[in-house]
Amino acid sequence: MPGLLVLMGSGETSPTMVEIHRAAARTLRPGARAVLLDTPYAFQENSADISARACRYFAHSVGLDVEVAPAITGADWVFSGPGSPTYALDRWAGSGVAGDLRARIRAREGVTVLASAAACTAGLATVPVYEIYKVGAEPHWREGIDLLEPLGLQAVLIPHFDNAEGGTHDTRYCYLGERRLSRMERELPAGTAVLGLDEHTALVVDLESESVRVAGRGGLTVRRPGSLTVLPSGSRTHLAELRRLAEGRAGTPAPPPPGPVETTPAEVTLEESIQSCEELFKAAAARPDMVAAAQAVLDLEAEIVKWAADTEEDAGGVEQARELMRLLIARLGELASTATQRSQGLPALVEPLLVLRAELREKGCYDVADALRAAMARGGVLIEDTPDGPRWTPPS
């Protein structure tokens, strides 16, 4: 079984990373043991829920049965993801997990997948993101577990490299921003490079052939004092070339490995899906086309279901999508209240809403279906559930 090291910038249990996980899982032998290390988020009150959602994601989307375990001895596949990098470091150092992870990479054995907070620990130094960004500590480094050293890389790894959540302030580089990262770079040992992994992006290293590829939506940035190189998604090269970039050595780039270039279609993010559904709804409501408007709400509900397993604790995207769905349903009720003034008539506007309500009830979304019924009632359209199906009466 070939060894793989997969580092992810974010989105590790979202639809954007499914194909990357599947490709890694295909290298496993039948009956392989898969272990999830929950250490980075073990301090959270909802840690059991995060683990359960992650296990469902890997079972349903990847086809991999995963167990939550505190150690990785005997594991063929190891995954760890969101949480606090420093909390994980402290506990992995004391439990021996850090040494076991390094031994896996040094032996070129097994599949090791580290994402977000866990990926942040993979270099010789680690960004204490909670302490700096959330608590206000002075910018500083913590010692990392340095899984990159056996690969000949003197580097730190920074996930969430292209983060843009800050809006009016700089949250790139795992919420550090340019000012703080520039200051911290000066404190690194001479010759150390920064490897920046964009969100929803993976660096996949075949530990046997030493081939390297970048997959997902963004890229891998190799940053050194005075130089910066970006390997975009779809890039394939050798580990020797990545070392050359990290060391700042000039020369002829190494040729790509033989064989066809593997490309992975980039999934849209939840934020993009929310925006698309909202735009489709607005366009349908302006016509008005209640069938299309109702379909936009159903599409949004399907995206919520698809992204429900995402364990990124700070994303908040699913709740944002739910809030938008409630707003759109209220808007549907408003459209129904003015239906008598439309040339297409009341039934043509109300019937699609009844179909939408029925589909929501079939999926178990009773609270949303009740919200739709209440919105229609505010518009004067009353719905009565009968043994023969729903019956509605127009405004009096």
Side-chain angles (χ1 to χ4, degrees):
M1 185 176 64
L4 283 180
L5 174 62
V6 183
L7 301 170
M8 295 182 170
S10 80
E12 55 272 10
T13 53
S14 75
T16 60
M17 295 285 103
V18 166
E19 291 303 322
I20 297 169
H21 282 303
R22 287 176 179 171
R26 284 194 292 269
T27 68
L28 298 173
R29 60 175 181 244
R33 180 173 178 241
V35 167
L36 184 156
L37 280 172
D38 65 350
T39 319
Y41 59 84
F43 63 94
Q44 296 181 205
E45 291 294 327
N46 65 337
S47 59
D49 176 63
I50 295 174
S51 294
R53 283 187 286 135
C55 289
R56 286 196 298 270
Y57 170 86
F58 287 115
H60 298 159
S61 300
V62 184
L64 195 60
D65 290 328
V66 177
E67 62 179 280
V68 181
I72 62 175
T73 304
D76 301 293
W77 178 95
V78 173
F79 169 83
S80 194
S84 166
T86 51
Y87 186 87
L89 284 171
D90 290 341
R91 277 134 193 88
W92 285 344
S95 66
V97 170
D100 291 341
L101 287 168
R102 282 193 296 268
R104 289 172 66 86
I105 305 305
R106 192 172 291 111
R108 306 292 205 264
E109 293 179 351
V111 176
T112 305
V113 184
L114 301 182
S116 299
C120 201
T121 70
L124 64 84
T126 296
V127 175
V129 58
Y130 274 31
E131 291 83 347
I132 296 174
Y133 185 64
K134 294 189 175 184
V135 182
E138 284 295 306
H140 65 285
W141 297 99
R142 281 283 304 275
E143 184 179 356
I145 59 176
D146 208 359
L147 301 185
L148 303 178
E149 185 274 333
L151 307 181
L153 290 168
Q154 182 179 326
V156 298
L157 192 131
I158 300 182
H160 296 278
F161 205 67
D162 62 342
N163 182 273
E165 293 177 24
T168 57
H169 66 282
D170 190 0
T171 54
R172 292 173 298 168
Y173 320 140
C174 200
Y175 307 95
L176 291 176
E178 178 62 41
R179 180 184 63 83
R180 284 183 291 207
L181 177 58
S182 296
R183 172 180 167 180
M184 291 172 66
E185 282 176 313
R186 294 193 292 269
E187 300 172 2
L188 289 170
T192 302
V194 169
L195 303 183
L197 260 179
D198 287 345
E199 296 183 331
H200 301 280
T201 304
L203 171 65
V204 183
V205 182
D206 186 312
L207 300 175
E208 183 177 11
S209 68
E210 295 202 345
S211 64
V212 174
R213 70 184 180 99
V214 180
R217 292 180 51 85
L220 171 72
T221 298
V222 183
R223 173 169 159 150
R224 289 180 49 82
S227 69
L228 183 147
T229 303
V230 177
L231 302 179
S233 178
S235 298
R236 290 170 61 91
T237 186
H238 281 285
L239 191 54
E241 170 65 5
L242 189 56
R243 291 190 199 105
R244 187 188 70 82
L245 293 173
E247 293 167 5
R249 290 187 286 113
T252 303
V261 174
E262 180 180 350
T263 59
T264 302
E267 285 265 4
V268 297
T269 64
L270 178 57
E271 182 181 1
E272 291 168 338
S273 296
I274 292 172
Q275 183 178 357
S276 174
C277 291
E278 185 175 17
E279 290 174 352
L280 288 172
F281 180 91
K282 288 179 178 178
R287 292 195 288 270
D289 182 344
M290 293 298 285
V291 174
Q295 187 59 54
V297 175
L298 285 174
D299 290 345
L300 180 59
E301 193 272 338
E303 288 297 314
I304 292 173
V305 171
K306 189 166 73 169
W307 284 81
D310 189 7
T311 57
E312 285 278 15
E313 75 279 6
D314 290 331
V318 172
E319 184 54 38
Q320 178 187 350
R322 290 196 181 102
E323 291 173 358
L324 174 62
M325 185 165 67
R326 288 190 284 268
L327 289 173
L328 296 187
I329 286 173
R331 177 63 178 140
L332 284 172
E334 294 171 5
L335 291 172
S337 70
T338 59
T340 53
Q341 303 174 15
R342 305 289 189 181
S343 59
Q344 64 189 111
L346 187 59
L349 291 172
V350 172
E351 292 300 334
L353 298 182
L354 296 180
V355 173
L356 170 62
R357 180 172 177 265
E359 292 193 26
L360 290 170
R361 288 167 63 87
E362 287 177 6
K363 294 179 179 180
C365 301
Y366 296 108
D367 57 335
V368 181
D370 291 344
L372 176 57
R373 179 180 181 176
M376 295 176 71
R378 288 195 297 272
V381 178
L382 302 180
I383 302 174
E384 179 186 3
D385 291 313
T386 73
D388 298 324
R391 190 167 56 198
W392 64 276
T393 55
S396 56

